[in-house]
Amino acid sequence: MDSRMEPPSARIEDGVFLGFVLIVSIAFALVIEPFFAAILWGVIAAILFAPVNQALLGIMPRRRNSSAALTLLLIIALVIVPAIILSIALAQEATIFAAKVQSGEINFARMFAQFQASLPGWAAAFLERLGITNFATVREMLSEGIASSFRTVATQALQIGQSAFSFLMALGVMLYLTFFLLRDGPRLAAMVDRAAPMRTAHRRALINQFVIVTRATIKGSIVVAIVQGLIGGIIFWALGLPGALLWGVLMGCFSLIPAVGTGLVWVPVAIYLFVTGAWVSGLILAFCGMFVIGMVDNILRPVLVGRDTRIPDYVVLITTLGGIDLFGFNGIVIGPVIAALFIATWNIVTKMRSGADGLEGPLTEENVSA
């Protein structure tokens, strides 16, 4: 029946039903909000390891439970267990480093004084104009910016340590959800495909873009971060610098931020080595930072991600920083994914306005600039 011929009561009922759908959806989102991070990483794990699950299904067809369980055990062995071991080792390393700072073995005030004494006259005058003439001033400035961020991270880490039960519950939810997403993923994707109130071409383009960008973001960011952090930690260890594991993990974390990345760690350390007279170590660290650690991103990311799925670097930088600010660590993935969906959606709008039927194929920089 033509909607224009429907009685007013039917239109009112449809409106009430749509309102009810909206209310129920919002209520459901509020209910699952405490496990948002667990659900997000469960979806990501299922997307990343779906090819492995499909390969196992090819070996043992009609045994979806066994395939999903074996894939889940692989996730635990390759991701969860190493992450827990690394977290324990990192906590021990951070404790040792903090003890050295507290005992005066690592004296930041003395380091700053040595750095200031080694500066040429024009640089010292520039610092004086900025009001940076003693370590107390620098410490106060840092406490308003970077230091406060580190304190926030440390506070969150402490809360995680104090709320072990909540952490284990979230981990259990993530693994439990991952199992069912691996087992029933294609069927659930088909249900979402049928339920989404969009044209078929638009709906499938957005779902395809979500999967592509999520997988590309993880492979292109997390894997590169692991490699850069590992290389950076080995270099620090080879140079005899204290806290090599701590610095390596920090470089891995900062490498998730495009453009600046690992330079936030190795550049200040290299400057410190130059100031303290360790010229050879400083030169080695600067060379390795620029031409070894820095080149990993340029070499590995195109191989892991593929050039056709890359978002422009300036978009990745802005959305990653914005995502971290809004969603914390989860924003590393959420920010670029939202950016990719934003670009894909507006590409669809452009195609519609030009008379085409939506967006097909992967996201490219040519599509972005079109």
Side-chain angles (χ1 to χ4, degrees):
M1 177 185 291
D2 191 340
S3 60
R4 290 173 296 180
M5 299 177 62
E6 292 181 351
S9 60
R11 291 197 295 269
I12 293 174
E13 290 170 358
D14 289 342
V16 171
F17 178 72
L18 289 176
F20 180 75
V21 170
L22 180 62
I23 293 173
V24 170
S25 300
I26 294 174
F28 179 75
L30 292 175
V31 168
I32 66 174
E33 190 273 335
F35 295 99
F36 172 76
I39 295 171
L40 172 68
W41 290 103
V43 172
I44 290 172
I47 290 174
L48 287 179
F49 286 86
V52 177
N53 187 58
Q54 292 300 318
L56 290 174
L57 276 175
I59 298 173
M60 49 177 126
R62 299 184 180 179
R63 301 189 65 178
R64 294 186 299 132
N65 285 329
S66 300
S67 299
L70 288 174
T71 306
L72 190 64
L73 289 175
L74 186 65
I75 293 172
I76 293 173
L78 295 181
V79 180
I80 304 300
V81 173
I84 292 175
I85 295 174
L86 179 62
S87 299
I88 294 173
L90 180 61
Q92 295 174 345
E93 190 85 12
T95 302
I96 295 172
F97 183 80
K100 289 182 178 180
V101 173
Q102 191 171 10
S103 65
E105 184 177 348
I106 298 177
N107 191 322
F108 289 109
R110 185 174 66 247
M111 293 179 188
F112 179 77
Q114 291 173 336
F115 169 73
Q116 193 174 23
S118 66
L119 291 175
W122 63 269
F126 177 73
L127 290 180
E128 187 173 355
R129 285 198 301 271
L130 293 177
I132 307 175
T133 56
N134 55 69
F135 181 72
T137 304
V138 175
R139 184 171 55 192
E140 183 179 350
M141 294 177 64
L142 288 176
S143 65
E144 297 174 358
I146 298 175
S148 62
S149 300
F150 277 106
R151 283 198 300 270
T152 301
V153 172
T155 301
Q156 292 179 350
L158 181 61
Q159 290 175 350
I160 291 175
Q162 293 174 340
S163 306
F165 177 75
S166 299
F167 171 75
L168 291 176
M169 181 181 292
L171 179 62
V173 169
M174 189 204 84
L175 295 175
Y176 185 74
L177 177 63
T178 302
F179 172 81
F180 286 101
L181 290 176
L182 288 169
R183 193 191 70 175
D184 304 324
R187 184 172 62 85
L188 293 174
M191 290 175 58
V192 173
D193 188 30
R194 291 193 303 269
M198 299 182 190
R199 295 184 183 179
T200 302
H202 302 166
R203 182 174 64 243
R204 292 180 179 174
L206 291 175
I207 293 175
N208 181 59
Q209 196 61 47
F210 172 79
V211 173
I212 288 176
V213 174
T214 300
R215 187 173 293 159
T217 299
I218 296 299
K219 289 197 302 181
S221 298
I222 304 299
V223 175
V224 170
I226 292 173
V227 174
Q228 286 187 316
L230 180 63
I231 294 175
I234 292 174
I235 293 172
F236 273 61
W237 172 79
L239 293 175
L241 297 172
L245 176 62
L246 177 63
W247 297 120
V249 173
L250 284 176
M251 275 189 279
C253 293
F254 279 117
S255 70
L256 298 171
I257 302 176
V260 288
T262 56
L264 292 173
V265 177
W266 68 260
V267 169
V269 176
I271 293 174
Y272 165 72
L273 292 174
F274 287 131
V275 168
T276 56
W279 287 92
V280 175
S281 297
L283 288 172
I284 293 174
L285 180 58
F287 176 83
C288 292
M290 288 186 289
F291 298 105
V292 179
I293 301 174
M295 291 301 293
V296 166
D297 183 79
N298 296 329
I299 295 173
L300 278 185
R301 195 180 295 271
V303 174
L304 294 170
V305 177
R307 297 188 181 277
D308 289 341
T309 60
R310 292 192 66 187
I311 306 172
D313 290 339
Y314 57 88
V315 177
V316 176
L317 173 62
I318 295 172
T319 55
T320 300
L321 294 176
I324 292 173
D325 184 61
L326 287 175
F327 303 103
F329 181 77
N330 301 320
I332 292 172
V333 176
I334 297 175
V337 167
I338 290 176
L341 293 177
F342 171 82
I343 294 171
T345 301
W346 279 98
N347 276 332
I348 290 174
V349 173
T350 303
K351 297 283 186 178
M352 291 175 64
R353 289 174 62 87
S354 62
D357 187 26
L359 176 68
E360 298 290 347
L363 177 68
T364 64
E365 292 194 19
E366 289 74 19
N367 283 340
V368 173
S369 60

